[in-house]
Amino acid sequence: MLNENIKAIRKSKGLSQEELAIKLNVVRQTISKWEQGLSVPDSDMLISISEVLETPVSTLLGETIAEVTPDDLNAISEKLEVINLQLAQKKATRQKVLHWCFISLCAAVVIIFALLTVLNSFYLGWDYSKPETAVIGVGLHSFEWLFVRVAPLALIGGIVGAFMTRKKG
């Protein structure tokens, strides 16, 4: 809701993301992330946004409160904390999924390499006089040739990716 309100009010004021970013001393990508709901401004920035857009913070948060009281500021802070927590959980989930994708890539490379080693290019002994057999044999040979050249890079990339996305702490 906050993201939609920032975008709608910014547009109603005739400001581009770049213009709003300049007025707030942030980069345009920050405004874009707020409007896409990928991040939220902290409480100080939220106040700055409300001043630049000449809109109460409560309106940015989707409420219609006539007067801001200390209790309202606490409520706003609590809402921002909840939003930040949700974004942190989303990020952690994405990181965990990506981490397991890298681990799966490493496992797949090792399994395929082991399988190719055990099978030892079995297709080389085939009778290639039939076109179907020849096509399948060439396909298997091409896969093996390409895999042997790409697998080390994929394995290194998977290991680095798994290391970079591991949970720290």
Side-chain angles (χ1 to χ4, degrees), residues 27-169:
V27 294
R28 186 203 56 79
Q29 289 82 354
T30 301
I31 305 295
S32 176
K33 285 182 180 180
W34 292 341
E35 291 183 357
Q36 292 176 24
L38 299 176
S39 67
V40 293
D42 62 23
S43 56
D44 291 335
M45 184 56 71
L46 195 56
I47 292 169
S48 297
I49 294 168
S50 74
E51 290 170 356
V52 169
L53 296 178
E54 300 170 343
T55 305
V57 173
S58 59
T59 303
L60 289 173
L61 292 174
E63 296 178 359
T64 53
I65 299 174
E67 198 173 306
V68 177
T69 64
D71 290 337
D72 294 334
L73 290 178
N74 288 338
I76 291 169
S77 294
E78 289 174 12
K79 285 183 181 184
L80 287 174
E81 284 180 41
V82 169
I83 292 170
N84 280 328
L85 181 61
Q86 290 171 343
L87 288 172
Q89 288 172 338
K90 262 188 193 176
K91 182 180 178 184
T93 301
R94 266 195 309 263
Q95 185 174 354
K96 186 185 280 187
V97 167
L98 193 57
H99 179 74
W100 284 106
C101 285
F102 282 125
I103 290 174
S104 299
L105 173 66
C106 292
V109 167
V110 169
I111 290 169
I112 292 171
F113 186 77
L115 188 64
L116 289 175
T117 302
V118 169
L119 294 177
N120 197 21
S121 302
F122 64 94
Y123 53 85
L124 293 178
W126 289 359
D127 177 16
Y128 284 91
S129 60
K130 294 182 181 175
E132 297 84 8
T133 307
V135 168
I136 293 171
V138 168
L140 288 171
H141 183 72
S142 299
F143 171 76
E144 186 176 308
W145 182 88
L146 184 62
F147 180 81
V148 166
R149 279 145 186 84
V150 173
L153 298 175
L155 186 61
I156 290 169
I159 291 169
V160 168
F163 179 76
M164 298 293 288
T165 58
R166 76 191 188 288
K167 186 175 181 178
K168 297 170 181 105

